[in-house]
Amino acid sequence: MDSPHGAAVKAEDFGLKGPRGWVFRNIAIDAAPGSITAVEGPSGSGRTCLLLALTGRMKPTAGHAEVGGHRLPKTMAAVRRIAALGPVSGVNDLDQALTVAEQLREGALLQRRYEGPIRALLRPRGERRASTAARIEEALAVAGLDLATLPKGPRTSVRDLERLESVRLSVAIALLGDPRLLALDDLDLKLSDAERAEAWSLLRAIAARGTTVFAVCSEAPQDIPVVRTGTPAKTPDTKADEKTDAKPETDAKPETTTKPDAKTDEKTDAKPETTTKPETNTKGTDDALAEARRA
């Protein structure tokens, strides 16, 4: 597996709006080939959807972006051919019923059938098997997953993997297609400090090979550039839109100020508007993810 040439990623005023509001918007990106970019933001702010949009899996509705010279949203298919997803919950989850070896073979088969050149399917079976085994071995080496260290080796069940081992397995499967752009969701979820350091070391090694990397995380190392979702807009028109979207807060204030009796206190303690707001913020993201899974 030759080191691929990374894809430059550029975006300006990039956004996605669904039937129930903005999923993300006002995103600006300028990532060089072979670089690492972290995506930070509160839960429900569209971090995952931004990854899916940048990899051609979700159609943006505002602004524009270019990935490896392919403009979004006009050439989404071309972007999908050069971009791969690492672990993205709800989109490409590992099959918990499979063994590690079975998951790798399935990933290689799907990549060859849907993303590889047609001529690869015409080679003799023995040659195809040898080529697949070599690709899997190299992808595992780059991802830092040594099957011999697993409890049952290649026959270890996916459900028995530690969180970091699952990340490495997902990355290895993504690397089978020699992507120019690799996107990962929730990189540091449920990882200890030491494991987070290992995960970022893995991404640095992948970027050093030439692949451009985007990773959603809770907190990136200081040397990693960050793109943030869910940040306030700068233009007056956009600010007005945000106030309109955030109606629960506006509705809550008159009730608190005009009814200073015990019943009002009870309503304030119950905070019906506070429980409604997260649902409003995440509905757009949920809708977009559902569309991505159907695509």
Side-chain angles (χ1 to χ4, degrees), residues 266-286:
E266 290 177 1
K267 290 183 180 180
T268 305
D269 294 337
K271 295 181 179 178
E273 288 77 18
T274 304
T275 57
T276 303
K277 184 181 177 182
E279 294 178 2
T280 303
N281 291 340
T282 59
K283 281 179 180 178
T285 299
D286 293 341

Side-chain angles (χ1 to χ4, degrees), residues 17 27 31 54 58 72 95 100 103 126 138 143 147 163 173 175-176 181 204-205 210 257 259-260 273 278:
K17 188 175 185 179
I27 299 297
L54 290 175
M58 188 173 287
L72 292 171
D95 191 333
V100 172
Q103 187 79 76
E138 188 167 354
L147 300 187
R163 164 64 182 169
I173 294 171
L175 293 177
L176 290 173
L181 170 63
R204 289 188 176 94
T257 55
K259 297 180 181 181
E273 288 77 18

Side-chain angles (χ1 to χ4, degrees), residues 31-217:
S35 63
I36 305 176
T37 303
V39 180
E40 295 181 359
S43 179
S45 63
R47 300 174 303 176
T48 302
C49 294
L50 175 58
L51 291 188
L52 295 176
L54 290 175
T55 55
R57 272 79 175 176
M58 188 173 287
K59 188 175 182 179
T61 57
H64 63 85
E66 285 190 3
V67 179
H70 302 294
R71 193 175 181 87
L72 292 171
K74 291 184 178 180
T75 57
M76 293 175 61
V79 172
R80 287 196 296 271
R81 287 194 290 269
I82 66 171
L85 293 177
V88 179
S89 178
V91 177
N92 64 342
D93 300 284
L94 298 174
D95 191 333
Q96 303 298 304
L98 298 181
T99 66
V100 172
E102 290 169 340
Q103 187 79 76
L104 286 164
R105 285 196 296 269
E106 180 183 86
L109 177 63
L110 292 175
Q111 190 279 327
R112 185 176 69 229
R113 179 170 296 177
Y114 297 109
E115 300 175 17
I118 298 298
R119 63 179 180 273
L121 299 176
L122 304 178
R123 293 183 299 177
R125 181 178 298 178
E127 185 179 339
R128 293 201 306 267
R129 287 179 176 175
S131 175
T132 297
R135 286 167 49 230
I136 289 175
E137 182 178 354
E138 188 167 354
L140 287 171
V142 175
L145 182 60
D146 185 356
L147 300 187
T149 63
L150 300 179
K152 295 182 181 180
R155 294 185 301 153
T156 301
S157 176
V158 170
R159 69 169 62 92
D160 294 331
L161 295 177
E162 300 291 339
R163 164 64 182 169
L164 183 56
E165 292 171 339
S166 294
V167 171
R168 292 186 186 276
L169 177 58
S170 293
V171 168
I173 294 171
L175 293 177
L176 290 173
D178 290 340
R180 297 175 59 190
L181 170 63
L182 174 66
L184 309 88
D185 195 17
D186 290 329
L187 175 67
D188 51 8
L189 179 67
K190 298 181 181 179
L191 295 182
S192 65
D193 290 343
E195 290 172 332
R196 289 182 182 185
E198 288 187 50
W200 285 109
S201 294
L202 166 61
L203 298 192
R204 289 188 176 94
I206 293 172
R209 297 176 64 254
T211 306
T212 306
V213 179
F214 275 73
V216 168
C217 63

Side-chain angles (χ1 to χ4, degrees), residues 30 209 235:
D30 189 1
R209 297 176 64 254
T235 62

